[in-house]
């Protein structure tokens, strides 16, 4: 987390989650030694981390299985030389063309009736498959004056019913900042819902603070939290408890996953993910095909395979535990169903 955000927004003592954010594992050697794996076997080209550094929160690392290079949690964060561009690489750095739906700093207006606010420039983790790894957040994290301009834009457009806090990861921002912004948005009469897309409660369940429960649970906006969980083993007791506290405040919990080769591209992994999430109070929502951004090809699962896996899920799970298989399409007003 950038120092400025920490200093600007926390009030009293540094909270536990902020300490965890200030102490992320950034050295692959430390990660691998913790997992009792030989760092020499990684032999990483330094350009990989220069392009997208390693960031792993310790509570997430603690859920990885020792001695297993194929651990599905490790694979999501393990940098590999395969991320480097090869000559003739056609994959884009802005696959969703988000540069064109960015009318004000901090605001993405690409879906009808809802807008995305990029409220934090960073994440609590760096997922190697991330489609936003090339996005220029520095010009998209406004100060308060600029946020007021965003609120004004929303006020002018009565079609906008929902605000989505996005990032980066919006919960990498502090509660004071988020409570302030939410208070501003509550003054817009036609806004009905506040949705947060965040991977932080799964990575660092300590992020679900009393303050967070207060500003989110007491908001007049109907709160939705979309957690981004890709594998059942990401949900341990602490995470399940954090979900429970959110639900007790009336927050609707949904999950969206990315279909990732070597992480969750099997019927058993997807089934267990849906069942584990539901047991913790979260409904499956979307299963995304990977966005074809440069550097993530080794996670790619073919659309036909995705369709087959979802069909198999339909055959062994109730409909409410089967996520919708979707992909993003540049310029489209919604995600495209893959059927
Ligand atoms: C897809 C997506 C949205 C919009 O999703 P809908 O549920 O279709 O409105 C918002 N934020 C993120 C991060 C998304 O991936
Ligand atoms: S948390 Fe989301 S935005 Fe952040 S690195 Fe992971 S996939 Fe990307």
């Amino acid at each position: 987390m950038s120092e400025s955000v920490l200093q600007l927004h926390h009030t009293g003592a540094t909270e536990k989650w902020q300490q965890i954010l200030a102490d992320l594992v950034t050295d692959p050697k430390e990660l691998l030694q913790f997992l009792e794996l030989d760092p020499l076997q990684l032999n990483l080209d330094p350009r990989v981390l220069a392009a997208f550094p390693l960031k792993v929160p310790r509570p997430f690392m603690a859920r990885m299985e020792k001695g297993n290079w194929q651990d599905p949690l490790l694979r999501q964060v393990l940098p590999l030389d395969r991320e480097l561009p090869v000559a003739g690489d056609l994959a884009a750095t802005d696959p969703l063309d988000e540069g064109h739906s960015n009318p004000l700093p901090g605001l993405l207006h690409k879906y009808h009736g809802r807008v995305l606010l990029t409220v934090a420039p960073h994440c609590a983790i760096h997922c190697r498959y991330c489609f936003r790894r090339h996005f220029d957040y520095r010009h998209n994290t406004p100060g308060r004056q600029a946020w007021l301009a965003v609120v004004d834009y929303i006020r002018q457009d009565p079609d906008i019913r929902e605000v989505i806090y996005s990032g980066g990861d919006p919960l990498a921002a502090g509660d004071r900042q988020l409570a302030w912004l939410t208070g501003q948005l509550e003054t817009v009469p036609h806004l009905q819902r506040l949705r947060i897309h965040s991977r932080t409660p799964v990575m660092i369940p300590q992020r679900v603070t009393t303050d967070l429960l207060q500003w989110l649970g007491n908001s007049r906006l109907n709160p939705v939290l979309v957690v981004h969980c890709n594998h059942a083993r990401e949900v341990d007791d602490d995470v399940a408890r954090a979900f429970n506290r959110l639900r007790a405040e009336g927050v609707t919990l949904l999950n969206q996953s990315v279909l990732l080769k070597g992480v969750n591209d099997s019927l058993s992994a997807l089934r267990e993910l849906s069942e584990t999430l539901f047991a913790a109070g979260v409904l499956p929502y979307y299963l995304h095909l990977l966005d074809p951004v440069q550097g993530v090809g080794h996670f790619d699962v073919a659309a036909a395979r995705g369709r087959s896996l979802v069909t198999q899920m339909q055959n062994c799970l109730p409909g409410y535990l089967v996520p919708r298989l979707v992909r993003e399409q540049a310029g489209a007003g919604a995600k495209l169903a893959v059927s």
Side-chain angles (χ1 to χ4, degrees):
M1 169 166 226
S2 82
E3 297 308 314
S4 59
V5 174
L6 264 178
Q7 282 163 11
L8 265 174
H9 299 292
H10 85 80
T11 40
T14 308
E15 294 187 72
K16 181 76 186 160
W17 69 272
Q18 292 172 316
Q19 291 167 14
I20 295 170
L21 263 191
D23 185 32
L24 299 172
V25 176
T26 56
D27 181 353
K29 211 157 107 191
E30 184 184 355
L31 171 67
L32 295 174
Q33 278 168 350
F34 174 83
L35 295 173
E36 295 163 11
L37 295 166
D38 179 5
L40 289 175
Q41 281 186 43
L42 185 62
N43 190 26
L44 193 64
D45 186 313
R47 288 175 299 169
V48 174
L49 292 185
F52 194 51
L54 181 84
K55 272 190 177 184
V56 186
R58 288 170 200 276
F60 185 65
M61 180 170 77
R63 289 169 234 159
M64 296 175 188
E65 187 190 359
K66 297 209 170 164
N68 182 5
W69 283 99
Q70 304 307 323
D71 179 79
L73 278 53
L74 172 62
R75 287 191 55 104
Q76 294 178 57
V77 298
L78 186 68
L80 295 173
D81 281 358
R82 276 177 283 177
E83 294 175 24
L84 291 172
V86 291
D89 207 333
L90 289 178
T93 54
D94 180 11
L96 308 183
D97 210 14
E98 288 187 331
H100 289 291
S101 38
N102 195 191
L104 287 172
L107 179 73
L108 286 173
H109 193 177
K110 62 174 181 171
Y111 300 116
H112 186 83
R114 51 224 196 273
V115 290
L116 267 80
L117 308 195
T118 50
V119 298
H122 39 251
C123 294
I125 181 170
H126 275 174
C127 313
R128 305 317 294 186
Y129 57 84
C130 181
F131 74 91
R132 290 210 161 111
R133 58 194 285 157
H134 304 283
F135 192 71
D136 185 4
Y137 292 113
R138 276 162 310 161
H139 297 112
N140 265 295
T141 48
R144 291 199 171 185
Q145 281 312 312
W147 280 127
L148 291 175
V150 167
V151 174
D152 223 45
Y153 175 99
I154 298 168
R155 202 184 302 280
Q156 306 302 321
D157 185 348
D159 280 343
I160 301 171
R161 303 288 168 82
E162 176 169 335
V163 164
I164 302 171
Y165 286 174
S166 185
D169 191 307
L171 293 181
D175 288 318
R176 202 171 149 194
Q177 181 193 357
L178 293 169
W180 174 82
L181 183 57
T182 305
Q184 297 300 318
L185 291 167
E186 283 166 359
T187 68
V188 179
H190 51 266
L191 271 186
Q192 298 173 1
R193 297 178 298 274
L194 173 62
R195 179 174 7 159
I196 301 174
H197 274 258
S198 174
R199 199 154 150 69
T200 303
V202 174
M203 296 301 112
I204 306 175
Q206 293 86 346
R207 178 64 189 88
V208 180
T209 57
T210 314
D211 285 349
L212 170 71
L213 294 167
Q214 211 163 51
W215 66 258
L216 191 55
N218 292 343
S219 176
R220 75 152 187 89
L221 301 171
N222 199 349
V224 180
L225 174 65
V226 183
V227 303
H228 289 217
C229 184
N230 296 317
H231 194 276
R233 287 234 331 277
E234 293 173 33
V235 183
D236 66 4
D237 289 349
D238 290 341
V239 173
R241 257 193 300 274
F243 289 165
N244 268 319
R245 296 178 73 200
L246 286 156
R247 276 223 305 168
E249 290 298 327
V251 180
T252 298
L253 297 177
L254 304 172
N255 181 55
Q256 88 175 28
S257 319
V258 183
L259 184 58
L260 298 167
K261 189 169 170 179
V263 174
N264 58 13
D265 60 332
S266 69
L267 176 61
S268 59
L270 291 173
R271 181 180 176 171
E272 204 185 330
L273 175 60
S274 276
E275 293 192 321
T276 303
L277 284 168
F278 187 70
V282 186
L283 276 172
Y285 181 34
Y286 281 140
L287 178 61
H288 267 253
L289 293 177
L290 193 73
D291 291 311
V293 62
Q294 186 273 310
V296 306
H298 54 294
F299 286 114
D300 197 36
V301 178
R305 171 83 181 138
R307 276 194 292 270
S308 154
L309 285 165
V310 169
T311 304
Q312 293 172 59
M313 290 179 88
Q314 281 162 344
N315 290 336
C316 67
L317 287 170
Y320 62 88
L321 292 188
V322 181
R324 282 169 246 186
L325 185 67
V326 292
R327 64 156 35 115
E328 293 273 356
Q329 174 109 326
K335 291 180 209 291
L336 296 184
V338 179
S339 54

